[in-house]
PDB file of all heavy atoms in Angstrom:
ATOM      1  N   ASP R  34      76.103 128.869 -24.720  1.00 98.00           N
ATOM      2  CA  ASP R  34      77.490 128.597 -25.071  1.00 98.00           C
ATOM      3  C   ASP R  34      78.387 128.500 -23.841  1.00 98.00           C
ATOM      4  O   ASP R  34      79.567 128.157 -23.971  1.00 98.00           O
ATOM      5  CB  ASP R  34      78.037 129.684 -25.997  1.00 98.00           C
ATOM      6  CG  ASP R  34      77.344 129.723 -27.347  1.00 98.00           C
ATOM      7  OD1 ASP R  34      77.089 128.645 -27.914  1.00 98.00           O
ATOM      8  OD2 ASP R  34      77.059 130.839 -27.833  1.00 98.00           O
ATOM      9  N   THR R  35      77.865 128.811 -22.679  1.00 98.00           N
ATOM     10  CA  THR R  35      78.652 128.759 -21.449  1.00 98.00           C
ATOM     11  C   THR R  35      79.153 127.342 -21.201  1.00 98.00           C
ATOM     12  O   THR R  35      78.374 126.395 -21.146  1.00 98.00           O
ATOM     13  CB  THR R  35      77.828 129.241 -20.256  1.00 98.00           C
ATOM     14  OG1 THR R  35      77.495 130.622 -20.429  1.00 98.00           O
ATOM     15  CG2 THR R  35      78.596 129.071 -18.954  1.00 98.00           C
ATOM     16  N   ALA R  36      80.458 127.193 -21.069  1.00 98.00           N
ATOM     17  CA  ALA R  36      81.074 125.882 -20.881  1.00 98.00           C
ATOM     18  C   ALA R  36      82.566 126.055 -20.712  1.00 98.00           C
ATOM     19  O   ALA R  36      83.112 127.142 -20.923  1.00 98.00           O
ATOM     20  CB  ALA R  36      80.797 124.974 -22.087  1.00 98.00           C
ATOM     21  N   VAL R  37      83.231 124.972 -20.340  1.00 98.00           N
ATOM     22  CA  VAL R  37      84.680 124.906 -20.430  1.00 98.00           C
ATOM     23  C   VAL R  37      85.019 124.406 -21.829  1.00 98.00           C
ATOM     24  O   VAL R  37      84.503 123.379 -22.266  1.00 98.00           O
ATOM     25  CB  VAL R  37      85.288 123.979 -19.364  1.00 98.00           C
ATOM     26  CG1 VAL R  37      86.799 123.885 -19.545  1.00 98.00           C
ATOM     27  CG2 VAL R  37      84.954 124.485 -17.970  1.00 98.00           C
ATOM     28  N   TYR R  38      85.870 125.127 -22.525  1.00 98.00           N
ATOM     29  CA  TYR R  38      86.255 124.785 -23.887  1.00 98.00           C
ATOM     30  C   TYR R  38      87.643 124.159 -23.890  1.00 98.00           C
ATOM     31  O   TYR R  38      88.573 124.699 -23.286  1.00 98.00           O
ATOM     32  CB  TYR R  38      86.232 126.028 -24.780  1.00 98.00           C
ATOM     33  CG  TYR R  38      84.836 126.450 -25.166  1.00 98.00           C
ATOM     34  CD1 TYR R  38      83.983 127.013 -24.229  1.00 98.00           C
ATOM     35  CD2 TYR R  38      84.362 126.267 -26.464  1.00 98.00           C
ATOM     36  CE1 TYR R  38      82.695 127.380 -24.564  1.00 98.00           C
ATOM     37  CE2 TYR R  38      83.077 126.636 -26.810  1.00 98.00           C
ATOM     38  CZ  TYR R  38      82.250 127.189 -25.862  1.00 98.00           C
ATOM     39  OH  TYR R  38      80.967 127.562 -26.204  1.00 98.00           O
ATOM     40  N   TYR R  39      87.766 123.028 -24.590  1.00 98.00           N
ATOM     41  CA  TYR R  39      89.003 122.265 -24.630  1.00 98.00           C
ATOM     42  C   TYR R  39      89.537 122.173 -26.053  1.00 98.00           C
ATOM     43  O   TYR R  39      88.803 121.843 -26.980  1.00 98.00           O
ATOM     44  CB  TYR R  39      88.787 120.835 -24.116  1.00 98.00           C
ATOM     45  CG  TYR R  39      88.325 120.742 -22.684  1.00 98.00           C
ATOM     46  CD1 TYR R  39      86.980 120.753 -22.371  1.00 98.00           C
ATOM     47  CD2 TYR R  39      89.249 120.627 -21.648  1.00 98.00           C
ATOM     48  CE1 TYR R  39      86.547 120.665 -21.058  1.00 98.00           C
ATOM     49  CE2 TYR R  39      88.833 120.535 -20.337  1.00 98.00           C
ATOM     50  CZ  TYR R  39      87.478 120.554 -20.049  1.00 98.00           C
ATOM     51  OH  TYR R  39      87.054 120.450 -18.746  1.00 98.00           O
ATOM     52  N   CYS R  40      90.802 122.431 -26.212  1.00 98.00           N
ATOM     53  CA  CYS R  40      91.488 122.205 -27.473  1.00 98.00           C
ATOM     54  C   CYS R  40      91.868 120.733 -27.583  1.00 98.00           C
ATOM     55  O   CYS R  40      92.319 120.128 -26.610  1.00 98.00           O
ATOM     56  CB  CYS R  40      92.734 123.089 -27.529  1.00 98.00           C
ATOM     57  SG  CYS R  40      93.723 122.930 -29.026  1.00 98.00           S
ATOM     58  N   ASN R  41      91.666 120.146 -28.751  1.00 98.00           N
ATOM     59  CA  ASN R  41      92.004 118.746 -28.992  1.00 98.00           C
ATOM     60  C   ASN R  41      92.672 118.602 -30.345  1.00 98.00           C
ATOM     61  O   ASN R  41      92.226 119.197 -31.331  1.00 98.00           O
ATOM     62  CB  ASN R  41      90.740 117.874 -28.943  1.00 98.00           C
ATOM     63  CG  ASN R  41      90.974 116.461 -29.428  1.00 98.00           C
ATOM     64  OD1 ASN R  41      90.531 116.071 -30.513  1.00 98.00           O
ATOM     65  ND2 ASN R  41      91.677 115.673 -28.630  1.00 98.00           N
ATOM     66  N   VAL R  42      93.746 117.819 -30.399  1.00 97.00           N
ATOM     67  CA  VAL R  42      94.411 117.524 -31.667  1.00 97.00           C
ATOM     68  C   VAL R  42      94.661 116.024 -31.754  1.00 97.00           C
ATOM     69  O   VAL R  42      94.974 115.369 -30.758  1.00 97.00           O
ATOM     70  CB  VAL R  42      95.732 118.312 -31.835  1.00 97.00           C
ATOM     71  CG1 VAL R  42      95.480 119.808 -31.708  1.00 97.00           C
ATOM     72  CG2 VAL R  42      96.794 117.871 -30.838  1.00 97.00           C
ATOM     73  N   ARG R  43      94.495 115.475 -32.961  1.00 96.00           N
ATOM     74  CA  ARG R  43      94.702 114.041 -33.193  1.00 96.00           C
ATOM     75  C   ARG R  43      95.435 113.851 -34.515  1.00 96.00           C
ATOM     76  O   ARG R  43      95.033 114.419 -35.533  1.00 96.00           O
ATOM     77  CB  ARG R  43      93.362 113.290 -33.209  1.00 96.00           C
ATOM     78  CG  ARG R  43      93.519 111.782 -33.349  1.00 96.00           C
ATOM     79  CD  ARG R  43      92.192 111.045 -33.204  1.00 96.00           C
ATOM     80  NE  ARG R  43      91.300 111.317 -34.315  1.00 96.00           N
ATOM     81  CZ  ARG R  43      90.186 112.031 -34.237  1.00 96.00           C
ATOM     82  NH1 ARG R  43      89.821 112.567 -33.075  1.00 96.00           N
ATOM     83  NH2 ARG R  43      89.440 112.220 -35.305  1.00 96.00           N
ATOM     84  N   HIS R  44      96.480 113.039 -34.509  1.00 94.00           N
ATOM     85  CA  HIS R  44      97.245 112.815 -35.717  1.00 94.00           C
ATOM     86  C   HIS R  44      96.368 112.186 -36.791  1.00 94.00           C
ATOM     87  O   HIS R  44      95.594 111.269 -36.515  1.00 94.00           O
ATOM     88  CB  HIS R  44      98.451 111.915 -35.420  1.00 94.00           C
ATOM     89  CG  HIS R  44      99.517 111.973 -36.466  1.00 94.00           C
ATOM     90  ND1 HIS R  44      99.449 111.245 -37.632  1.00 94.00           N
ATOM     91  CD2 HIS R  44     100.671 112.685 -36.529  1.00 94.00           C
ATOM     92  CE1 HIS R  44     100.515 111.501 -38.368  1.00 94.00           C
ATOM     93  NE2 HIS R  44     101.268 112.369 -37.721  1.00 94.00           N
ATOM     94  N   SER R  45      96.508 112.661 -38.010  1.00 91.00           N
ATOM     95  CA  SER R  45      95.653 112.208 -39.107  1.00 91.00           C
ATOM     96  C   SER R  45      95.844 110.729 -39.432  1.00 91.00           C
ATOM     97  O   SER R  45      94.917 110.076 -39.920  1.00 91.00           O
ATOM     98  CB  SER R  45      95.917 113.039 -40.363  1.00 91.00           C
ATOM     99  OG  SER R  45      95.573 114.397 -40.158  1.00 91.00           O
ATOM    100  N   ILE R  46      97.026 110.179 -39.189  1.00 92.00           N
ATOM    101  CA  ILE R  46      97.320 108.783 -39.499  1.00 92.00           C
ATOM    102  C   ILE R  46      97.448 107.961 -38.221  1.00 92.00           C
ATOM    103  O   ILE R  46      96.811 106.909 -38.079  1.00 92.00           O
ATOM    104  CB  ILE R  46      98.598 108.667 -40.344  1.00 92.00           C
ATOM    105  CG1 ILE R  46      98.407 109.380 -41.693  1.00 92.00           C
ATOM    106  CG2 ILE R  46      98.965 107.200 -40.558  1.00 92.00           C
ATOM    107  CD1 ILE R  46      99.656 109.445 -42.538  1.00 92.00           C
ATOM    108  N   VAL R  47      98.276 108.408 -37.290  1.00 91.00           N
ATOM    109  CA  VAL R  47      98.476 107.696 -36.033  1.00 91.00           C
ATOM    110  C   VAL R  47      97.455 108.238 -35.038  1.00 91.00           C
ATOM    111  O   VAL R  47      97.742 109.165 -34.269  1.00 91.00           O
ATOM    112  CB  VAL R  47      99.913 107.862 -35.511  1.00 91.00           C
ATOM    113  CG1 VAL R  47     100.134 106.980 -34.285  1.00 91.00           C
ATOM    114  CG2 VAL R  47     100.923 107.517 -36.600  1.00 91.00           C
ATOM    115  N   HIS R  48      96.258 107.662 -35.041  1.00 90.00           N
ATOM    116  CA  HIS R  48      95.148 108.196 -34.266  1.00 90.00           C
ATOM    117  C   HIS R  48      95.370 108.119 -32.759  1.00 90.00           C
ATOM    118  O   HIS R  48      94.736 108.867 -32.009  1.00 90.00           O
ATOM    119  CB  HIS R  48      93.855 107.476 -34.639  1.00 90.00           C
ATOM    120  CG  HIS R  48      93.410 107.733 -36.046  1.00 90.00           C
ATOM    121  ND1 HIS R  48      92.384 107.033 -36.635  1.00 90.00           N
ATOM    122  CD2 HIS R  48      93.850 108.614 -36.976  1.00 90.00           C
ATOM    123  CE1 HIS R  48      92.215 107.465 -37.871  1.00 90.00           C
ATOM    124  NE2 HIS R  48      93.095 108.426 -38.105  1.00 90.00           N
ATOM    125  N   ALA R  49      96.260 107.232 -32.314  1.00 92.00           N
ATOM    126  CA  ALA R  49      96.539 107.137 -30.890  1.00 92.00           C
ATOM    127  C   ALA R  49      97.252 108.380 -30.368  1.00 92.00           C
ATOM    128  O   ALA R  49      97.266 108.613 -29.158  1.00 92.00           O
ATOM    129  CB  ALA R  49      97.373 105.894 -30.600  1.00 92.00           C
ATOM    130  N   ARG R  50      97.824 109.167 -31.248  1.00 94.00           N
ATOM    131  CA  ARG R  50      98.460 110.419 -30.846  1.00 94.00           C
ATOM    132  C   ARG R  50      97.379 111.477 -30.725  1.00 94.00           C
ATOM    133  O   ARG R  50      97.103 112.237 -31.659  1.00 94.00           O
ATOM    134  CB  ARG R  50      99.545 110.819 -31.844  1.00 94.00           C
ATOM    135  CG  ARG R  50     100.687 109.804 -31.907  1.00 94.00           C
ATOM    136  CD  ARG R  50     101.775 110.211 -32.877  1.00 94.00           C
ATOM    137  NE  ARG R  50     102.827 109.206 -32.952  1.00 94.00           N
ATOM    138  CZ  ARG R  50     103.885 109.280 -33.750  1.00 94.00           C
ATOM    139  NH1 ARG R  50     104.034 110.327 -34.548  1.00 94.00           N
ATOM    140  NH2 ARG R  50     104.780 108.305 -33.756  1.00 94.00           N
ATOM    141  N   ASP R  51      96.744 111.486 -29.560  1.00 96.00           N
ATOM    142  CA  ASP R  51      95.573 112.299 -29.278  1.00 96.00           C
ATOM    143  C   ASP R  51      95.850 113.109 -28.017  1.00 96.00           C
ATOM    144  O   ASP R  51      96.141 112.536 -26.965  1.00 96.00           O
ATOM    145  CB  ASP R  51      94.356 111.381 -29.096  1.00 96.00           C
ATOM    146  CG  ASP R  51      93.059 112.131 -28.976  1.00 96.00           C
ATOM    147  OD1 ASP R  51      92.858 113.116 -29.710  1.00 96.00           O
ATOM    148  OD2 ASP R  51      92.220 111.718 -28.140  1.00 96.00           O
ATOM    149  N   TYR R  52      95.749 114.436 -28.104  1.00 97.00           N
ATOM    150  CA  TYR R  52      96.155 115.304 -27.005  1.00 97.00           C
ATOM    151  C   TYR R  52      95.074 116.313 -26.674  1.00 97.00           C
ATOM    152  O   TYR R  52      94.312 116.762 -27.543  1.00 97.00           O
ATOM    153  CB  TYR R  52      97.449 116.045 -27.358  1.00 97.00           C
ATOM    154  CG  TYR R  52      98.592 115.133 -27.711  1.00 97.00           C
ATOM    155  CD1 TYR R  52      98.834 114.770 -29.029  1.00 97.00           C
ATOM    156  CD2 TYR R  52      99.431 114.626 -26.719  1.00 97.00           C
ATOM    157  CE1 TYR R  52      99.880 113.931 -29.363  1.00 97.00           C
ATOM    158  CE2 TYR R  52     100.484 113.783 -27.035  1.00 97.00           C
ATOM    159  CZ  TYR R  52     100.706 113.441 -28.361  1.00 97.00           C
ATOM    160  OH  TYR R  52     101.751 112.604 -28.680  1.00 97.00           O
ATOM    161  N   TRP R  53      95.002 116.667 -25.402  1.00 97.00           N
ATOM    162  CA  TRP R  53      94.013 117.608 -24.885  1.00 97.00           C
ATOM    163  C   TRP R  53      94.669 118.706 -24.068  1.00 97.00           C
ATOM    164  O   TRP R  53      95.652 118.474 -23.358  1.00 97.00           O
ATOM    165  CB  TRP R  53      93.002 116.894 -23.978  1.00 97.00           C
ATOM    166  CG  TRP R  53      92.128 115.911 -24.676  1.00 97.00           C
ATOM    167  CD1 TRP R  53      92.427 114.617 -24.974  1.00 97.00           C
ATOM    168  CD2 TRP R  53      90.802 116.138 -25.148  1.00 97.00           C
ATOM    169  NE1 TRP R  53      91.361 114.016 -25.616  1.00 97.00           N
ATOM    170  CE2 TRP R  53      90.352 114.925 -25.726  1.00 97.00           C
ATOM    171  CE3 TRP R  53      89.947 117.242 -25.131  1.00 97.00           C
ATOM    172  CZ2 TRP R  53      89.083 114.793 -26.282  1.00 97.00           C
ATOM    173  CZ3 TRP R  53      88.685 117.112 -25.685  1.00 97.00           C
ATOM    174  CH2 TRP R  53      88.270 115.900 -26.253  1.00 97.00           C
ATOM    175  N   GLY R  54      94.105 119.898 -24.157  1.00 97.00           N
ATOM    176  CA  GLY R  54      94.478 120.957 -23.247  1.00 97.00           C
ATOM    177  C   GLY R  54      93.695 120.850 -21.955  1.00 97.00           C
ATOM    178  O   GLY R  54      92.838 119.981 -21.785  1.00 97.00           O
ATOM    179  N   HIS R  55      93.969 121.748 -21.019  1.00 96.00           N
ATOM    180  CA  HIS R  55      93.315 121.714 -19.716  1.00 96.00           C
ATOM    181  C   HIS R  55      92.013 122.511 -19.668  1.00 96.00           C
ATOM    182  O   HIS R  55      91.284 122.423 -18.680  1.00 96.00           O
ATOM    183  CB  HIS R  55      94.265 122.232 -18.636  1.00 96.00           C
ATOM    184  CG  HIS R  55      95.445 121.336 -18.395  1.00 96.00           C
ATOM    185  ND1 HIS R  55      95.310 120.042 -17.963  1.00 96.00           N
ATOM    186  CD2 HIS R  55      96.780 121.557 -18.538  1.00 96.00           C
ATOM    187  CE1 HIS R  55      96.508 119.488 -17.845  1.00 96.00           C
ATOM    188  NE2 HIS R  55      97.414 120.389 -18.187  1.00 96.00           N
ATOM    189  N   GLY R  56      91.708 123.252 -20.705  1.00 97.00           N
ATOM    190  CA  GLY R  56      90.435 123.938 -20.805  1.00 97.00           C
ATOM    191  C   GLY R  56      90.493 125.398 -20.403  1.00 97.00           C
ATOM    192  O   GLY R  56      91.340 125.814 -19.616  1.00 97.00           O
ATOM    193  N   THR R  57      89.561 126.170 -20.950  1.00 98.00           N
ATOM    194  CA  THR R  57      89.399 127.572 -20.595  1.00 98.00           C
ATOM    195  C   THR R  57      87.910 127.866 -20.454  1.00 98.00           C
ATOM    196  O   THR R  57      87.102 127.435 -21.276  1.00 98.00           O
ATOM    197  CB  THR R  57      90.060 128.497 -21.644  1.00 98.00           C
ATOM    198  OG1 THR R  57      89.970 129.859 -21.216  1.00 98.00           O
ATOM    199  CG2 THR R  57      89.421 128.354 -23.017  1.00 98.00           C
ATOM    200  N   GLN R  58      87.544 128.577 -19.397  1.00 98.00           N
ATOM    201  CA  GLN R  58      86.140 128.824 -19.087  1.00 98.00           C
ATOM    202  C   GLN R  58      85.583 129.964 -19.922  1.00 98.00           C
ATOM    203  O   GLN R  58      86.172 131.040 -20.003  1.00 98.00           O
ATOM    204  CB  GLN R  58      85.980 129.157 -17.599  1.00 98.00           C
ATOM    205  CG  GLN R  58      84.550 129.518 -17.182  1.00 98.00           C
ATOM    206  CD  GLN R  58      83.621 128.330 -17.195  1.00 98.00           C
ATOM    207  OE1 GLN R  58      83.956 127.273 -16.643  1.00 98.00           O
ATOM    208  NE2 GLN R  58      82.460 128.481 -17.822  1.00 98.00           N
ATOM    209  N   VAL R  59      84.424 129.724 -20.531  1.00 98.00           N
ATOM    210  CA  VAL R  59      83.665 130.750 -21.237  1.00 98.00           C
ATOM    211  C   VAL R  59      82.313 130.888 -20.556  1.00 98.00           C
ATOM    212  O   VAL R  59      81.573 129.908 -20.442  1.00 98.00           O
ATOM    213  CB  VAL R  59      83.475 130.403 -22.723  1.00 98.00           C
ATOM    214  CG1 VAL R  59      82.517 131.387 -23.395  1.00 98.00           C
ATOM    215  CG2 VAL R  59      84.812 130.393 -23.445  1.00 98.00           C
ATOM    216  N   THR R  60      81.998 132.084 -20.091  1.00 98.00           N
ATOM    217  CA  THR R  60      80.725 132.346 -19.430  1.00 98.00           C
ATOM    218  C   THR R  60      80.020 133.490 -20.150  1.00 98.00           C
ATOM    219  O   THR R  60      80.588 134.571 -20.303  1.00 98.00           O
ATOM    220  CB  THR R  60      80.923 132.707 -17.956  1.00 98.00           C
ATOM    221  OG1 THR R  60      81.624 131.649 -17.291  1.00 98.00           O
ATOM    222  CG2 THR R  60      79.577 132.917 -17.269  1.00 98.00           C
ATOM    223  N   VAL R  61      78.784 133.240 -20.581  1.00 98.00           N
ATOM    224  CA  VAL R  61      77.995 134.230 -21.302  1.00 98.00           C
ATOM    225  C   VAL R  61      76.780 134.571 -20.455  1.00 98.00           C
ATOM    226  O   VAL R  61      75.942 133.707 -20.183  1.00 98.00           O
ATOM    227  CB  VAL R  61      77.557 133.721 -22.681  1.00 98.00           C
ATOM    228  CG1 VAL R  61      76.835 134.821 -23.449  1.00 98.00           C
ATOM    229  CG2 VAL R  61      78.762 133.220 -23.471  1.00 98.00           C
ATOM    230  N   SER R  62      76.674 135.815 -20.032  1.00 97.00           N
ATOM    231  CA  SER R  62      75.567 136.250 -19.198  1.00 97.00           C
ATOM    232  C   SER R  62      74.427 136.769 -20.063  1.00 97.00           C
ATOM    233  O   SER R  62      74.639 137.316 -21.150  1.00 97.00           O
ATOM    234  CB  SER R  62      76.015 137.329 -18.219  1.00 97.00           C
ATOM    235  OG  SER R  62      76.496 138.473 -18.904  1.00 97.00           O
TER     236      SER R  62
END
């Protein structure tokens, strides 16, 4: 599961309204 995790949201009708966060690191030892 170790990865950078990104939040993403997209408008249900206007699909071009698509946004991303900058990410948060998850590290599992």
Side-chain angles (χ1 to χ4, degrees):
D34 295 318
T35 296
V37 177
Y38 284 71
Y39 299 89
C40 180
N41 170 252
V42 304
R43 184 174 68 250
H44 198 278
S45 296
I46 298 174
V47 186
H48 294 170
R50 297 181 182 178
D51 187 41
Y52 303 92
W53 294 83
H55 293 299
T57 184
Q58 176 71 49
V59 172
T60 303
V61 185
S62 61

